[in-house]
Amino acid sequence: MQSVISVQNLNHYFGKGQLRKQVLFDINLEINAGEIIIMTGPSGSGKTTLLTLVGGLRSAQEGSLRVLGRELCGANAGQLTLARRNHGYIFQAHNLHGSLTALQNVRMGLELHKSVTPEQMKKRSAEMLDLVGLGNRLNYYPDDLSGGQKQRVAIARALVSQPKIVLADEPTAALDSKSGRDVVNLMHNLAKEQDCTILLVTHDNRILDIADRIVYMEDGKLAKAPVAVG
Ligand SMILES: Nc1ncnc2c1ncn2[C@@H]1O[C@H](COP(=O)(O)OP(=O)(O)O)[C@@H](O)[C@H]1O
Ligand SMILES: [Mg+2]
């Protein structure tokens, strides 16, 4: 099977000159279509850095990083912008726009997709909010939603364009355990329905069971999970 994400001998450095510091060391990772991979590991170990490289949010410097068949190592800004259109992102803090309603926030997830008409955007956004259980909150502003509801809006925004890849950085960190569970179950179900690949960073032991595979990052190096989980 062809890898959706193929990382080979990837190194990454922050800073220049004497301050240059290596944060990723010889990362190798192959992820297949439809797989849910969870990445765990201590704070500062390089998880977010790897996620942002895969997502095209920063440019890969050394080694090879192929996402949906495109090499991102050495890619220019235009190529990275194109690559980003294939992904949905879910961050730890939901990153919703406070001045936009739930519906308008979800619509943002479609705005890079020029082929969709405004009517279709509205319809698909409303349907996606319905799927995440917020069909009766379309016109609410983030301030009037609970933490779990806001994170569900963020999930709807990430998935509304039916991306091939979803990247999630500690999506349950700000949630109580029930909302956290609801949120990952939702991601899991939507992903399986849309056949998308998920790379999810978490410290949350309670959600490890949704993973097809768990990888472990420590000191900028990736390993298989050190203990069997299950
Ligand atoms: N923009 C940046 N500039 C310089 N150093 C950074 C930057 N982002 C992260 N780092 C450093 O890179 C290392 C890995 O950070 P990060 O990827 O955020 O780890 P994690 O997500 O596992 O907590 C840390 O030592 C962090 O301080
Ligand atoms: Mg992080």
Side-chain angles (χ1 to χ4, degrees):
M1 192 195 285
Q2 168 140 44
S3 298
V4 165
I5 298 170
S6 172
V7 186
Q8 284 167 1
N9 310 114
L10 185 73
N11 295 314
H12 194 78
Y13 308 81
F14 282 119
K16 289 208 164 65
Q18 287 196 320
L19 295 177
R20 190 172 192 247
K21 182 181 147 207
Q22 184 164 2
V23 295
L24 294 180
F25 297 81
D26 196 31
I27 304 290
N28 290 281
L29 180 65
E30 301 289 327
I31 304 180
N32 295 322
E35 260 194 305
I36 299 183
I37 306 289
I38 284 187
M39 184 173 17
T40 67
S43 181
S45 58
K47 304 180 300 295
T48 295
T49 303
L50 180 57
L51 213 63
T52 56
L53 288 168
V54 171
L57 296 175
R58 62 175 87 246
S59 47
Q61 299 163 342
E62 208 174 280
S64 170
L65 170 59
R66 293 181 68 79
V67 179
L68 295 169
R70 267 203 202 98
E71 178 62 58
L72 296 189
C73 197
N76 63 32
Q79 290 165 324
L80 289 180
T81 303
L82 276 179
R84 286 200 286 270
R85 286 188 198 167
N86 298 309
H87 312 147
Y89 295 94
I90 303 162
F91 298 99
Q92 172 173 359
H94 52 78
N95 281 349
L96 299 180
H97 291 261
S99 61
L100 301 179
T101 64
L103 186 71
Q104 290 166 334
N105 267 289
V106 174
R107 239 187 84 121
M108 300 271 297
L110 286 170
E111 267 163 20
L112 288 172
H113 298 259
K114 300 270 185 256
S115 60
V116 189
T117 67
E119 292 74 34
Q120 286 172 325
M121 279 191 194
K122 194 171 169 195
K123 182 163 176 285
R124 282 170 59 179
S125 302
E127 283 168 358
M128 188 51 77
L129 278 166
D130 201 33
L131 268 182
V132 301
L134 294 175
N136 56 353
R137 294 286 188 278
L138 302 187
N139 298 316
Y140 280 54
Y141 288 91
D143 276 352
D144 300 320
L145 297 171
S146 72
Q149 289 172 331
K150 281 189 274 222
Q151 200 57 303
R152 282 190 271 152
V153 176
I155 290 175
R157 180 182 55 186
L159 293 173
V160 68
S161 64
Q162 306 202 323
K164 283 279 155 252
I165 298 174
V166 169
L167 302 169
D169 200 352
E170 307 199 30
T172 64
L175 302 179
D176 63 73
S177 66
K178 162 113 180 33
S179 317
R181 188 74 230 177
D182 288 350
V183 154
V184 286
N185 283 345
L186 203 64
M187 283 176 65
H188 176 261
N189 294 342
L190 292 174
K192 291 297 171 192
E193 277 162 26
Q194 300 185 2
D195 192 33
C196 82
T197 302
I198 298 186
L199 179 56
L200 189 159
V201 169
T202 191
H203 281 121
D204 189 346
N205 288 326
R206 297 166 306 202
I207 66 173
L208 298 180
D209 58 302
I210 70 154
D212 295 315
R213 189 151 49 106
I214 298 170
V215 295
Y216 185 74
M217 180 81 87
E218 188 163 9
D219 296 333
K221 300 186 181 84
L222 203 59
K224 289 221 170 74
V227 283
V229 200

